[in-house]
Amino acid sequence: QVQLVESGGGVVQPGRSLRLSCAASGFTFSSYAMHWVRQAPGKGLEWVAVISYDGSNKYYADSVKGRFTISRDNSKNTLYLQMNSLRPEDTAVYYCARGPVLGSGCYLYCYFDLWGRGTLVTVSS
Amino acid sequence: QSVLTQPPSVSAAPGQKVTISCSGSSSNIGNNYVSWYQQLPGTAPKVLIYDNNKRPSGIPDRFSGSKSGTSATLGITGLQTGDEADYYCGTWDSSLNAVVFGGGAKLTVL
C-alpha cells in the first residue's frame, strides 16, 4: 500500500526540540524528493522544507531556516524533520508530502501527489 | 501574507459553476507549473490539478485548471455539497527556492 505515516508529534515547551519522522511504504522512496508542509490551527498550508531524492539538496522556508533540519534515510524509507528552538508559532499539524520522482522532468517540486495524515505539534508552556 | 493571492471564500448553488483565482508573479506562477489541492474538513490535502491543467486519475472532469501569465484559475462545474472544502493553489518560486501556496479559498455550496 502506497502511504506516508508521520509520527513524533506532541506537546513541547518553547525553546525545546522535537524530531518528526515520516515512514514511507509501497513505493521506491529513494527516487522521490520529499517535503514537509505544516498547517497551524484554523490557518492555511505553509511549506516548511524539501530534500532531494539523494539528500544532496535541501531548502527551507525563511520562518524555520536555522532552526529546522530536514533529512532522510533511504535505507529505512524514512524522512525526518529535526525541530530546534521551537516557538509557539510552530504549533501546527505537520504533513510529509511526496514530490517528483527522479527522471520526471521536475527536480524538487511540480506537485504533491501523496500526503500523510499529519502529526500535531503543540508548542506551549 | 501568502505569496499567492486567492479569494478567502467563494460560494454558489448546487449544480452551478464556480471559479477560484490564484494570482502570483513571474518568479512563481509566471514560470512554473501550478497545482491545486482540495482539503476536506479534518483531512489531508489532495491534489486536484497538476501541471496547470491536468487531472490525476480518479478526479472527475468537473474540475479544471488553467493558467495565463501570472494567474491561474480552478473551475468546478456541477457543484455538489461534497465539494465544500478549502482549495489551495501552489507552485514553486524560483527566487525564493520554495514552494508557495495561496491563502486558501473556502468553498460553500449554498
Side-chain angles (χ1 to χ4, degrees), chain A residues 24 27-34 52-55 72-75 77 101-102:
Chain A
F27 64 96
T28 306
F29 177 73
S30 60
S31 295
Y32 288 82
M34 295 296 298
S52 59
Y53 71 99
D54 61 356
R72 65 192 298 161
D73 186 336
N74 286 342
S75 68
N77 293 335
V101 66
L102 187 61

Side-chain angles (χ1 to χ4, degrees), chain B residues 13-14 18-19 23 29 36-37 41 47 52 65 68-70 76 80-81 84 88 90 93 99 101 105-106:
Chain B
V18 72
T19 60
S23 177
I29 291 179
W36 290 89
Y37 301 92
V47 63
N52 303 330
S68 178
T70 59
I76 311 173
Q80 303 171 2
T81 55
E84 288 199 330
Y88 296 91
D93 190 298
V99 177
F101 290 108
K106 183 176 183 61

Side-chain angles (χ1 to χ4, degrees), chain A residues 35 37 39 43-45 47 59 95 108-112 115-116, chain B residues 35 37 39 43-45 47 50 88 90-92 97-99 101:
Chain A
H35 299 248
V37 176
Q39 187 170 34
K43 302 297 184 182
L45 301 176
W47 175 80
Y59 292 105
Y95 297 101
L108 294 176
Y109 178 78
C110 271
Y111 63 101
F112 299 129
W115 297 69
Chain B
S35 47
Y37 301 92
Q39 188 175 33
T43 69
V47 63
Y50 68 97
Y88 296 91
T91 188
W92 181 258
N97 281 323
V99 177
F101 290 108

